[in-house]
Amino acid sequence: MSQAVLDQLKGRFGEAVLETHNRFGNETALVKKESLLAVLKFLKEECGFEMLMDLCGVDHLPETPRFEVVYHLKSFSRGYRVRIKVRIAEEDPVVDSAVSVWKGANWYERECREFYGIKFKGHPDLRPLLLYPEFEGYPLRKDYPHKKRQPRLPLLKPETR
Amino acid sequence: MIKLSDDTKDLHTRYMTMMMGPSHPATHGTLMMNLVLDGETIIEVDIDPGYLHRGFEKECEAHRWNQNVAYTDRLNYVSAIINNVCYSMAVEKLLGIDQKIPERAQWLRLIFSEISRITDHATCLAAMTMEVGGFTGFLYLVKLREYFYEILENLCGARVTYSWTRVGGARWDAPEGFEDQTREAIKNSRKVLKDVRGLFDKNRIFLERTVKIGVISRENALAYGITGPFLRSTGFNYDARKAHPYLYYQDLDFEIPLGVNGDSYDRYYVRVLEMEQSMRIIEQALGKIPKGPVMIDDPCLKLPEKQEVYNSIEGVINHLKLIFEDIYVPAGEVYSYVEAPNGELGFYLVSKGGNQPWKCRVHPPCFPIVAALPEILKGYMLADIIPIFGSVNMIGGEMDR
C-alpha cells in the first residue's frame, strides 16, 4: 500500500536507503545513520507523515552493527504507514535526535536511552524516564541478565527527603 | 529552582516548587509531578513517571509466546482483553495465520473488545466525575461497569485479568446464555448512562471545571503522537477501527464521535458517546456471530482435547510439546495495532525463529498523552490538574510497563 513512499525514498536518497521490504503489510526501509535526520524531515515535510507513532530500540546482540532504532510513522492525509530503521554500532551508540521533527520523540528517546544506552544527539534533556537515576546498566540490552538485581540504595535521611 | 518572579509590583509572589504525587489521591495511577507555581497558577510541570515499571518488555523476552498473553493483561488493566487481542493478532500475523482464525473467535474478540472499551471509559469517567466532586457519578458508572464485568467473569472466571485469547483463537467459548446476558447488560447500562448524562452534561459545576480547561490544539496533539479520544476531542477524525478496519469492523455500522475544542469536557463527551457506539456495535455483532470453533484447528497451536491426551500417544506428545516448548514463530518483524480505549495500541514484535520473542515492544496509547501534559497544564490553576488528569485516563500499568 505504501510502496509509493519507499519508491520515493529510494529515488530521493538512493544509496542511503540500504534495504526495503514490505512483509506483513509493514513497509520498511533501513537507512544509513548519517542521513537519518534528512530522511525523517523529508518524510514529514514532503510525504505528509504527521505523526511519529512509536520509536524503540532493538538489540541484535551477536550481529554487527548491534543496535537498531525503529521509527513507526503514520500519515493521516494519505493513510500510509512506514517503518524506518537505522543500525547503530556498539562502539558509537549515537544517533540524531528526532525532537526537532516531532515533539513526541522526546520521551521515546529518553526511554530508549535509559533502556539501551543509545544516545540521541541534539536531545534537550536525556534524563532517565521510567527508571530511577541510580539504576546501573541498560536493562533491555541482551547482555543484561534477566534475573539481575540492582544494589540497594541507602535510605534518604528525613531532612533530605 | 526558587526564583523571584515579577517583584516590581507591590504585591508580588514567589515561585514555589511543589511535588504532587507519587501517591496523591487524585492521581489515580502513581505518577509524580514537580510543579512550579506562581500562587495557584502553574508555571512549569515536570512529570516523573515510572513508579509502576515492572520490566514488561524484559519479561516478555524471557518468556514464551503464549505465556506473554498473561503479561499483556497487566498493561491496561481496565480493558485487558483489548491487549490480549492485539498481542495475539500480532503473533498471528507473524505466523501468517491471521486470515485462518475461525470466524466465531474473531467475532467474539470484537465483542469483548467493545465490552472492554465500555468498562475502560466507564472507569475513566467514574474517576473523573468523582474527582470534580460528583460522587454519584462514580457510583452510577461503577454500577454500569459491573454489568459488563459480570459478563467477563462468566467468560473466564476472572474479573480483571482475563488472559482469554491464545495465539490462534481463544481459550474459551462464550458461556451459555451469553447473548441474553449481554443484551440485558446493554439495556441496563443505557438507563445508567442516561442518568449519568443527566447529572453531568449540563451541570454548571461540572462545566465550569472542564469547559475550556486543558485545551490542546490539533497540531500539538499530532506532533506529540496522541491518538484516541484525546485526539478526536480536538475534532480530528482518526479511529483505527474505521481507518484500517481489522476483525469485522468494516461490516458494522457505527460512528466516530468528534469533539470541537479539545478540552476536558469534550474528552468526557466523546467518551460518553463512544460508549453508546460500542453498545451499538455489540448489538449488531450479537446478531451476526456464527456458531463454530473458537480455536484454529492446527496441532502446532491448539492444545489437544483431554480425552485424546489420556487415550492416545499422539495426544500426549502433542500436549507435552505445546506445554514444554510452546509455539515456534518464524523470524520476522511486525507492527500490529488496534484501537484501544485510550488510543492506538500497537505491538512491535521481532522474532528470530524461536519459541520466545526477541523483542516485544508495546506502544502504549497514554504515553504520548502524558508526555504532552506539561504543555497542556501550563497556565492553568493547581485545581485544574485534577479534571485534566482525570480526562487523560493514564493507566500506570500501560504507561510504565
Side-chain angles (χ1 to χ4, degrees), chain B residues 269-315:
Chain B
Y269 208 71
V270 164
R271 284 206 168 89
V272 168
L273 295 180
E274 258 180 37
M275 279 161 81
E276 277 174 8
Q277 293 302 322
S278 289
M279 290 179 203
R280 262 181 78 192
I281 295 177
I282 297 170
E283 279 177 338
Q284 292 173 43
L286 282 176
K288 293 189 175 187
I289 181 167
K291 292 238 175 314
V294 292
M295 191 70 190
I296 189 169
D297 193 20
D298 182 344
C300 293
L301 300 169
K302 184 187 170 204
L303 276 177
E305 297 290 327
K306 272 282 176 281
Q307 198 63 29
E308 266 177 66
V309 179
Y310 290 138
N311 295 317
S312 75
I313 187 73
E314 293 84 0

Coordinates of all heavy atoms in Angstrom, one line a residue, chain B residues 269-315:
Chain B
Y269 N -17.2 14.1 26.8 CA -18.4 13.9 26.0 C -18.1 12.8 24.9 O -18.9 12.0 24.6 CB -18.7 15.2 25.4 CG -20.2 15.3 25.0 CD1 -21.1 15.4 26.0 CD2 -20.6 15.3 23.7 CE1 -22.5 15.5 25.8 CE2 -22.0 15.3 23.4 CZ -22.9 15.5 24.4 OH -24.2 15.5 24.2
V270 N -16.9 12.9 24.3 CA -16.5 11.9 23.3 C -16.6 10.5 23.9 O -17.1 9.6 23.3 CB -15.1 12.2 22.8 CG1 -14.5 11.0 22.0 CG2 -15.1 13.4 21.8
R271 N -16.1 10.4 25.2 CA -16.1 9.0 25.8 C -17.6 8.6 26.0 O -17.9 7.4 25.8 CB -15.4 9.1 27.1 CG -13.9 9.1 26.9 CD -13.1 8.5 28.1 NE -11.8 8.3 27.8 CZ -10.8 9.2 27.9 NH1 -11.1 10.4 28.4 NH2 -9.6 9.0 27.6
V272 N -18.4 9.5 26.5 CA -19.8 9.1 26.7 C -20.4 8.6 25.4 O -21.1 7.5 25.3 CB -20.6 10.3 27.3 CG1 -22.1 10.0 27.2 CG2 -20.2 10.5 28.7
L273 N -20.2 9.4 24.3 CA -20.8 9.0 23.0 C -20.2 7.7 22.5 O -20.9 6.9 21.9 CB -20.6 10.1 22.0 CG -21.3 11.4 22.3 CD1 -21.1 12.4 21.2 CD2 -22.8 11.2 22.5
E274 N -18.9 7.5 22.8 CA -18.3 6.3 22.3 C -18.8 5.1 23.0 O -18.9 4.0 22.4 CB -16.7 6.3 22.5 CG -16.0 6.7 21.3 CD -14.5 6.7 21.5 OE1 -14.0 5.9 22.3 OE2 -13.9 7.6 20.9
M275 N -19.2 5.2 24.2 CA -19.8 4.1 24.9 C -21.1 3.7 24.3 O -21.4 2.5 24.1 CB -20.1 4.4 26.4 CG -18.8 4.3 27.3 SD -18.9 5.2 28.8 CE -19.8 4.1 29.8
E276 N -21.9 4.7 23.8 CA -23.1 4.3 23.1 C -22.8 3.7 21.8 O -23.5 2.7 21.4 CB -23.9 5.6 22.9 CG -24.7 6.0 24.2 CD -25.5 7.3 24.1 OE1 -25.5 7.9 23.0 OE2 -26.0 7.7 25.1
Q277 N -21.8 4.1 21.1 CA -21.5 3.5 19.8 C -21.0 2.0 20.1 O -21.3 1.2 19.3 CB -20.4 4.3 19.1 CG -20.8 5.7 18.7 CD -22.0 5.6 17.7 OE1 -22.1 4.7 16.9 NE2 -22.9 6.6 17.9
S278 N -20.3 1.8 21.1 CA -19.8 0.5 21.4 C -21.0 -0.4 21.7 O -21.0 -1.6 21.2 CB -18.9 0.5 22.6 OG -17.7 1.1 22.3
M279 N -22.0 0.1 22.4 CA -23.2 -0.8 22.6 C -23.9 -1.1 21.3 O -24.3 -2.2 21.1 CB -24.1 0.0 23.5 CG -23.6 0.1 25.0 SD -24.8 1.0 26.0 CE -23.7 1.5 27.3
R280 N -23.9 -0.1 20.4 CA -24.5 -0.4 19.1 C -23.7 -1.5 18.4 O -24.3 -2.4 17.8 CB -24.4 0.9 18.2 CG -25.7 1.7 18.2 CD -25.5 2.9 17.3 NE -25.5 2.5 15.9 CZ -25.2 3.4 14.9 NH1 -24.7 4.6 15.2 NH2 -25.3 3.0 13.6
I281 N -22.4 -1.4 18.4 CA -21.6 -2.4 17.8 C -21.8 -3.8 18.3 O -22.0 -4.7 17.6 CB -20.1 -2.0 17.9 CG1 -19.7 -0.7 17.2 CG2 -19.2 -3.2 17.4 CD1 -18.3 -0.3 17.4
I282 N -21.9 -3.8 19.7 CA -22.1 -5.2 20.3 C -23.5 -5.7 19.9 O -23.6 -6.9 19.5 CB -22.1 -5.0 21.8 CG1 -20.7 -4.6 22.3 CG2 -22.4 -6.4 22.5 CD1 -20.6 -4.2 23.7
E283 N -24.5 -4.9 19.8 CA -25.8 -5.4 19.4 C -25.8 -5.9 18.0 O -26.4 -7.0 17.7 CB -26.9 -4.2 19.6 CG -27.3 -4.0 21.0 CD -28.3 -2.9 21.1 OE1 -28.2 -2.0 20.2 OE2 -29.0 -2.8 22.1
Q284 N -25.2 -5.2 17.1 CA -25.1 -5.7 15.7 C -24.3 -7.0 15.7 O -24.7 -7.9 15.0 CB -24.4 -4.7 14.8 CG -25.2 -3.4 14.6 CD -24.4 -2.4 13.9 OE1 -23.7 -2.7 12.9 NE2 -24.5 -1.1 14.3
A285 N -23.2 -7.0 16.4 CA -22.3 -8.2 16.3 C -23.0 -9.4 16.9 O -22.8 -10.5 16.4 CB -21.0 -7.9 17.1
L286 N -23.9 -9.2 17.9 CA -24.5 -10.4 18.5 C -25.5 -11.0 17.5 O -25.7 -12.3 17.5 CB -25.4 -9.9 19.7 CG -24.6 -9.7 21.0 CD1 -25.5 -9.2 22.1 CD2 -23.9 -10.9 21.5
G287 N -26.0 -10.2 16.6 CA -26.9 -10.8 15.6 C -26.1 -11.5 14.5 O -26.7 -12.3 13.7
K288 N -24.8 -11.3 14.3 CA -24.1 -11.8 13.2 C -23.2 -13.0 13.6 O -22.6 -13.6 12.7 CB -23.2 -10.7 12.6 CG -24.0 -9.6 12.0 CD -23.1 -8.7 11.2 CE -24.0 -7.6 10.5 NZ -23.2 -6.8 9.6
I289 N -23.0 -13.2 14.9 CA -22.0 -14.1 15.3 C -22.4 -15.6 14.9 O -23.5 -16.0 15.2 CB -21.7 -14.0 16.8 CG1 -20.6 -14.9 17.3 CG2 -23.0 -14.1 17.6 CD1 -20.2 -14.5 18.7
P290 N -21.5 -16.3 14.2 CA -21.9 -17.6 13.8 C -21.5 -18.7 14.8 O -20.8 -18.3 15.8 CB -21.0 -17.8 12.5 CG -19.8 -17.0 12.8 CD -20.2 -15.8 13.6
K291 N -22.0 -19.9 14.7 CA -21.5 -21.0 15.6 C -20.3 -21.6 15.0 O -19.9 -21.4 13.8 CB -22.7 -22.0 15.6 CG -23.9 -21.6 16.3 CD -24.2 -22.5 17.5 CE -25.4 -22.0 18.3 NZ -25.5 -20.6 18.7
G292 N -19.5 -22.3 15.9 CA -18.3 -23.0 15.4 C -17.3 -23.0 16.4 O -17.5 -22.6 17.5
P293 N -16.1 -23.4 16.0 CA -15.0 -23.5 17.0 C -14.4 -22.1 17.2 O -14.6 -21.2 16.5 CB -13.9 -24.4 16.3 CG -14.2 -24.2 14.8 CD -15.7 -24.0 14.7
V294 N -13.7 -22.0 18.3 CA -13.0 -20.7 18.6 C -11.5 -20.8 18.6 O -10.8 -19.8 18.8 CB -13.4 -20.1 20.0 CG1 -14.9 -19.7 20.0 CG2 -13.1 -21.1 21.1
M295 N -11.0 -21.9 18.2 CA -9.6 -22.1 18.1 C -9.2 -22.7 16.8 O -9.9 -23.6 16.3 CB -9.1 -23.0 19.3 CG -7.6 -23.0 19.5 SD -7.0 -21.5 20.2 CE -5.2 -21.8 20.0
I296 N -8.1 -22.2 16.2 CA -7.7 -22.7 14.9 C -7.4 -24.2 15.0 O -6.9 -24.7 16.0 CB -6.5 -21.9 14.4 CG1 -6.1 -22.2 13.0 CG2 -5.3 -22.1 15.3 CD1 -5.1 -21.3 12.4
D297 N -7.7 -25.0 14.0 CA -7.5 -26.4 14.0 C -6.1 -26.8 13.5 O -5.9 -27.2 12.4 CB -8.6 -27.2 13.2 CG -8.6 -28.6 13.6 OD1 -8.0 -29.0 14.6 OD2 -9.1 -29.4 12.7
D298 N -5.1 -26.5 14.3 CA -3.7 -26.7 13.9 C -3.0 -27.3 15.1 O -2.9 -26.6 16.2 CB -3.1 -25.4 13.5 CG -1.7 -25.6 13.0 OD1 -1.1 -26.6 13.3 OD2 -1.2 -24.6 12.4
P299 N -2.5 -28.6 15.1 CA -1.9 -29.2 16.2 C -0.7 -28.4 16.7 O -0.3 -28.6 17.9 CB -1.6 -30.6 15.8 CG -1.7 -30.6 14.3 CD -2.6 -29.5 13.9
C300 N -0.1 -27.6 15.9 CA 1.1 -26.8 16.4 C 0.7 -25.7 17.3 O 1.5 -25.1 17.9 CB 1.8 -26.2 15.2 SG 2.6 -27.5 14.2
L301 N -0.6 -25.3 17.3 CA -1.1 -24.2 18.1 C -2.1 -24.6 19.1 O -2.1 -24.0 20.2 CB -1.7 -23.1 17.2 CG -0.8 -22.5 16.1 CD1 -1.7 -21.7 15.1 CD2 0.2 -21.7 16.7
K302 N -2.9 -25.6 18.8 CA -4.1 -25.9 19.7 C -3.8 -27.0 20.6 O -3.3 -28.1 20.2 CB -5.3 -26.2 18.8 CG -6.5 -26.4 19.5 CD -7.6 -27.0 18.5 CE -8.8 -27.4 19.3 NZ -9.6 -28.4 18.6
L303 N -4.1 -26.8 21.9 CA -3.9 -28.0 22.8 C -4.9 -29.0 22.5 O -6.1 -28.7 22.2 CB -4.2 -27.5 24.2 CG -3.0 -26.8 25.0 CD1 -3.5 -26.3 26.3 CD2 -1.9 -27.7 25.2
P304 N -4.5 -30.3 22.5 CA -5.5 -31.4 22.2 C -6.5 -31.5 23.3 O -6.3 -31.1 24.4 CB -4.6 -32.6 22.1 CG -3.4 -32.3 22.8 CD -3.2 -30.8 22.7
E305 N -7.6 -32.2 22.9 CA -8.7 -32.4 23.9 C -8.1 -33.3 25.0 O -7.3 -34.2 24.7 CB -9.9 -33.1 23.3 CG -10.6 -32.3 22.2 CD -11.3 -31.1 22.8 OE1 -11.8 -31.3 23.9 OE2 -11.4 -30.1 22.1
K306 N -8.6 -33.2 26.2 CA -8.1 -34.0 27.3 C -8.3 -35.5 27.0 O -7.5 -36.4 27.3 CB -8.9 -33.7 28.6 CG -8.3 -32.6 29.4 CD -7.0 -33.1 30.2 CE -6.3 -31.9 30.9 NZ -5.5 -31.1 30.1
Q307 N -9.5 -35.8 26.4 CA -9.8 -37.2 26.0 C -8.6 -37.8 25.2 O -8.2 -38.9 25.4 CB -11.1 -37.2 25.2 CG -11.8 -38.5 25.1 CD -12.2 -39.0 26.5 OE1 -12.5 -38.3 27.4 NE2 -12.2 -40.4 26.7
E308 N -8.1 -37.0 24.2 CA -7.1 -37.5 23.4 C -5.8 -37.7 24.2 O -5.0 -38.6 23.9 CB -6.8 -36.5 22.3 CG -7.6 -36.8 21.0 CD -7.3 -35.6 20.0 OE1 -6.1 -35.5 19.6 OE2 -8.3 -34.9 19.7
V309 N -5.5 -36.7 25.1 CA -4.3 -36.7 25.8 C -4.2 -38.0 26.7 O -3.1 -38.6 26.8 CB -4.2 -35.5 26.7 CG1 -2.9 -35.5 27.5 CG2 -4.3 -34.2 25.9
Y310 N -5.3 -38.4 27.2 CA -5.3 -39.6 28.1 C -5.3 -40.9 27.3 O -4.9 -41.9 27.8 CB -6.6 -39.5 29.0 CG -6.5 -38.5 30.1 CD1 -7.6 -37.7 30.4 CD2 -5.3 -38.2 30.8 CE1 -7.5 -36.7 31.4 CE2 -5.2 -37.2 31.7 CZ -6.3 -36.4 32.0 OH -6.2 -35.5 33.0
N311 N -5.8 -40.9 26.1 CA -6.0 -42.1 25.4 C -5.2 -42.4 24.2 O -5.3 -43.4 23.6 CB -7.5 -42.2 25.0 CG -8.4 -42.3 26.2 OD1 -8.1 -43.0 27.2 ND2 -9.5 -41.6 26.3
S312 N -4.4 -41.4 23.8 CA -3.6 -41.7 22.6 C -2.2 -41.1 22.8 O -2.0 -40.1 23.4 CB -4.2 -41.1 21.3 OG -4.0 -39.7 21.3
I313 N -1.2 -41.8 22.2 CA 0.2 -41.4 22.4 C 0.4 -40.1 21.6 O 1.2 -39.2 22.1 CB 1.2 -42.5 21.9 CG1 2.6 -42.2 22.2 CG2 1.0 -42.8 20.4 CD1 3.0 -42.2 23.7
E314 N -0.2 -39.9 20.5 CA -0.1 -38.6 19.7 C -0.6 -37.5 20.5 O 0.1 -36.4 20.6 CB -0.9 -38.7 18.4 CG -0.4 -39.7 17.4 CD -0.9 -41.1 17.6 OE1 -1.7 -41.3 18.6 OE2 -0.6 -42.0 16.8
G315 N -1.7 -37.7 21.2 CA -2.2 -36.6 22.1 C -1.3 -36.2 23.2 O -1.1 -35.1 23.4

